[in-house]
Amino acid sequence: MMGQTPRYVLATQPRVARVERVGVLVIGAGAAGLGAALAAAERTDVTVLVRGALPESNSALAQGGIAAALDLHDSPQFHVEDTLVAGAGLCDLDAVTALAYDAPGMMRELATLGVPFARQPNSQFALGLEGGHSQRRIVHVGDATGLAVIQVLIAQVLAHPRIRVCEGWQVADLLDLGGQVVGALACDAAGAWTRFFADATILASGGTGALYGLTSNQPTALGEGIAMAYRAGAEIADMEFVQFHPTVYRTKAGRGFLITEAARGEGGVLRTLTGERFMPAYDPRAELAPRDVVTRGIYAALRRTGTDHVLLDLTHLPSDLITSHFPTIHARLLEDGIDITTEAIPVAPAAHYLMGGVRTDLFGATNLPGLYAVGEVSCTGVHGANRLASNSLLECLVFGRRAGRAAGRQEVRSRMPEVALQCLERTAPVTPTWRDDLAAIMVAAAGPLRDGAGLARGQTALLQRPIQADPDQPDAITAANATLAARLIVESALLRQESRGGHFRSDFPQTREEWHAHTLLQRSRAPQLVGVIAPGMAHAAD
């Protein structure tokens, strides 16, 4: 079990330099945060707190594209059906429907704003194909779609008179008053603390990929927003469903570099180091199977061959297709001495995406009044047990706008709460290796292949790590939040005694009907199973 979780990550009272009142406070500046900020600014002033500097975010790293039914032979309903299949029975139909039917208009709007989506000679969108999709529906900007979208959104945000962007801020905790979230406690790069008092707070802080060390994510993707929301009393759903991208290249510097799904969509094949193509024997959809299936297929090949990577082979494709479709990948691997037009790419699965997170309704609202969550930090019900390729940026854009508009309408004018901190444990500076140590626990316990014994060992190890820190130890605060997020993943994975989507347990390898439900964790309550992700918080549709 999780044990006692303190209300605040800070073990002692910080010296707060100032108090600020804002309209809407947005925590994070990826596609979800920026989109939410623009929507909220239609009605009120917005402050955006950025952990690093723009445009650092997982959204900016997204390569493949955005799913939208724009072809004459496609339809949003087909998009819905493909998403439901990938989600392994746990998608929320209303959320998926909102996503798919909003997508075409959203893509046209982004194009009008200046996102240079690839086009056919007749000026129609050039649509790619990715695993799990029955139609070509991936709009893209080469292999740097996320960065292109983020650059346009950043320009819109920086030019908006109602939006202020604050870079280099570390948010430690959400603040609440009488069960309502009223802002956040944050520290700037100089170490000065501020209480931001907001009418509405939107979490857009990203996922948890960096908990696993090798990842396609930014190093800051440690689940800190989920930890903050959990301590405040928010409902956290489906944390066991972690998607591992099957094709990540480990750079010479040791960082993960994602090789987009589109590389397989355009004909790339997976081979062992001896040249054997293995996916057709593992699944009839071969390289275009959903990501969890391809990941397990690669793991099976790794075990059989005793190696730590396989090869993604594009060399049979025309070289001009490779360089035109994947210029970023081609250039990056050339830096490491690999020419992907003539050499196969060494790849292995790595942590990529979290399907679970802070439970929300269709407008980003959580069970805590005043708190919204968007993007990968949230659990809208769109992805179920496994996210369909290229639905992530789309979710950020569609639900970011919905949450921003809902938050912009909220008005809460009450007194600023005091922060009553309670130290539950002794704190000390973290070791320089805490990231590697935490990653080792997570890979062993809650990687792509799991079992009860390994999860229990991981839980024991995590319970020995601190989840509080002193305010003058920013890295220790990060470590404490990351550890709590890791505990939530492991506890949820222990609870679910079956295999489904991104969660595979070798001791329960079958999908079981009695587990056709969502796991739900909440501070000071026992874990629950719930049938539908729909908190029942009503907002009028725009």
Side-chain angles (χ1 to χ4, degrees):
M1 299 297 292
M2 288 287 295
Q4 188 177 18
T5 301
R7 170 60 186 88
Y8 295 100
V9 72
L10 298 185
T12 56
Q13 187 78 31
R15 289 191 292 273
V16 177
R18 59 182 179 176
V19 172
E20 283 199 34
R21 182 185 288 273
V22 300
V24 171
L25 181 67
V26 178
I27 301 170
L34 296 173
L38 288 167
E42 294 171 4
R43 292 176 176 261
T44 187
D45 65 286
V46 178
T47 294
V48 181
L49 299 183
V50 187
R51 180 63 178 269
L54 297 173
E56 294 173 12
S57 66
N58 280 349
S59 298
L61 298 179
Q63 295 177 359
I66 307 174
L70 291 161
D71 187 83
L72 290 176
H73 301 291
D74 198 4
S75 75
Q77 186 56 38
F78 292 162
H79 187 180
V80 168
E81 292 167 3
D82 290 344
T83 300
L84 295 178
V85 170
L90 291 188
C91 295
D92 180 85
L93 179 59
D94 289 342
V96 176
T97 300
L99 183 86
Y101 279 83
D102 281 3
M106 184 71 72
M107 295 309 100
R108 296 187 183 100
E109 182 177 335
L110 287 174
T112 300
L113 290 174
V115 177
F117 290 124
R119 301 280 184 165
Q120 301 177 30
N122 63 3
S123 298
Q124 297 297 313
F125 288 102
L127 301 174
L129 177 67
E130 293 185 351
H133 289 272
S134 60
Q135 307 286 332
R136 283 187 171 268
R137 65 167 67 99
I138 312 303
V139 297
H140 57 91
V141 183
D143 58 354
T145 306
L147 182 59
V149 171
I150 285 293
Q151 287 172 335
V152 168
L153 293 178
I154 287 173
Q156 295 281 315
V157 163
L158 294 180
H160 202 293
R162 283 182 168 175
I163 301 177
R164 176 181 59 153
V165 177
C166 303
E167 297 175 285
W169 282 76
Q170 179 177 13
V171 181
D173 269 307
L174 298 173
L175 302 176
D176 68 287
L177 182 65
Q180 177 167 304
V181 171
V182 293
L185 183 63
C187 183
D188 65 17
W193 288 90
T194 299
R195 289 181 185 146
F196 288 93
F197 188 24
D199 292 340
T201 301
I202 302 176
L203 269 179
S205 52
T208 61
L211 292 175
Y212 289 85
L214 182 65
T215 179
S216 61
N217 295 183
Q218 295 280 8
T220 53
L222 293 163
E224 293 190 76
I226 296 171
M228 288 186 280
Y230 177 79
R231 283 194 303 270
E235 296 174 341
I236 310 298
D238 293 348
M239 289 292 287
E240 67 272 30
F241 295 118
V242 179
Q243 186 178 83
F244 292 84
H245 198 287
T247 55
V248 173
Y249 166 70
R250 185 188 293 272
T251 68
K252 287 186 175 180
R255 290 281 300 276
F257 180 77
L258 185 144
I259 308 300
T260 174
E261 196 96 15
R264 285 176 283 127
E266 293 299 329
V269 297
L270 290 164
R271 303 185 188 278
T272 65
L273 301 193
T274 60
E276 173 198 358
R277 186 182 179 195
F278 57 88
M279 277 306 301
Y282 191 83
D283 187 280
R285 294 164 292 185
E287 285 82 6
L288 295 183
R291 287 173 177 169
D292 62 307
V293 176
V294 177
T295 292
R296 290 196 291 274
I298 293 174
Y299 263 81
L302 296 178
R303 289 195 303 270
R304 181 165 53 85
T305 59
T307 56
D308 64 357
H309 68 276
V310 295
L311 301 174
L312 176 59
D313 188 4
L314 308 179
T315 60
H316 56 286
L317 302 176
S319 59
D320 59 344
L321 182 150
I322 294 172
T323 55
S324 63
H325 280 60
F326 312 114
T328 304
I329 295 172
H330 182 248
R332 177 63 188 85
L333 268 67
L334 277 178
E335 294 176 10
D336 281 6
I338 299 174
D339 183 350
I340 66 173
T341 65
T342 60
E343 301 172 77
I345 307 168
V347 296
H352 183 57
Y353 193 87
L354 177 70
M355 275 70 75
V358 183
R359 187 178 184 231
T360 74
D361 68 6
L362 298 183
F363 296 89
T366 72
N367 63 300
L368 299 178
L371 179 65
Y372 298 77
V374 291
E376 195 173 350
V377 74
S378 72
C379 186
T380 60
V382 158
H383 306 305
N386 189 36
R387 177 175 68 83
L388 183 65
S390 289
N391 270 352
S392 54
L393 281 175
L394 180 60
E395 182 194 30
C396 290
L397 296 164
V398 168
F399 288 94
R401 171 176 289 179
R402 285 168 164 253
R405 287 177 173 167
R409 291 193 294 267
Q410 186 162 324
E411 293 186 6
V412 180
R413 298 296 182 186
S414 57
R415 64 182 179 84
M416 185 63 186
E418 293 298 318
V419 181
L421 301 179
Q422 179 187 14
C423 182
L424 299 182
E425 55 185 80
R426 297 177 64 86
T427 63
V430 292
T431 64
T433 62
W434 73 263
R435 288 174 178 266
D436 293 337
D437 298 340
L438 184 58
I441 295 171
M442 292 302 290
V443 169
L449 300 177
R450 308 164 176 179
D451 61 48
L455 286 163
R457 287 192 297 270
Q459 185 179 61
T460 298
L462 291 171
L463 287 172
Q464 295 170 357
R465 302 176 70 88
I467 53 174
Q468 279 196 305
D470 291 324
D472 59 349
Q473 299 174 7
D475 201 39
I477 295 170
T478 298
N481 275 328
T483 298
L484 180 54
R487 289 185 186 183
L488 295 171
I489 291 174
V490 170
E491 172 142 353
S492 295
L494 261 174
L495 179 64
R496 182 172 293 276
Q497 296 181 350
E498 68 158 356
S499 293
R500 185 189 296 267
H503 171 71
F504 187 86
R505 283 186 57 164
S506 59
D507 51 347
F508 295 100
Q510 304 301 319
T511 299
R512 303 165 65 188
E513 183 59 31
E514 59 265 37
W515 288 95
H516 187 249
H518 303 280
T519 56
L520 192 67
L521 302 179
Q522 192 175 8
R523 180 174 172 265
S524 302
R525 291 182 61 179
Q528 303 175 68
L529 293 178
V530 295
V532 179
I533 294 187
M537 294 154 287
H539 291 280
D542 291 302

